[in-house]
Amino acid sequence: KKINEEYFISGPDELSFNNMVDIIEKRINKKVFKIHIPKIIVRFINKSLLRDKVHDLSKIKKDFDIDLTKFEDGISYLRHDL
């Protein structure tokens, strides 16, 4: 039993925000317009958005004996005909 442990939960693949938008765009068969916000503005709003979000997932896999779901599989419920 784990008490007071901190876990970072994500899928098994490293994806940028643009990668995720591209995958969703393909899944729903729609073209989307991406707006890139300058880093100086992002830093003012929330600095943590600029940090690297890659984490070692071996601890959560071991402690909970789970298989992580790929992003593409996790959004499989989205319809192509939207």
Side-chain angles (χ1 to χ4, degrees):
K1 185 175 176 181
K2 300 291 178 181
I3 298 174
N4 294 326
E5 292 286 333
E6 183 177 272
Y7 295 93
F8 293 99
I9 302 173
S10 69
D13 300 321
E14 181 181 332
L15 296 172
S16 70
F17 182 76
N18 283 334
N19 294 139
M20 290 189 288
V21 171
D22 292 343
I23 292 167
I24 293 168
E25 180 180 68
K26 184 176 178 183
R27 177 70 188 150
I28 65 172
N29 199 28
K30 298 278 183 196
K31 194 73 178 152
V32 298
F33 181 72
K34 298 176 198 164
I35 299 173
H36 295 271
I37 302 169
K39 287 183 180 181
I40 189 76
I41 295 173
V42 174
R43 191 175 299 119
F44 179 73
I45 296 170
N46 186 344
K47 288 181 193 177
S48 70
L49 295 173
L50 299 174
R51 278 189 277 168
D52 185 9
K53 309 262 186 329
V54 178
H55 303 287
D56 178 12
L57 301 173
S58 59
K59 182 178 174 186
I60 192 167
K61 288 166 130 179
K62 178 181 169 264
D63 289 352
F64 292 98
D65 190 30
I66 60 171
D67 291 322
L68 301 173
T69 303
K70 292 182 66 145
F71 184 75
E72 294 92 341
D73 297 337
I75 63 164
S76 63
Y77 65 91
L78 293 178
R79 296 175 19 203
H80 285 281
D81 59 350
L82 292 176

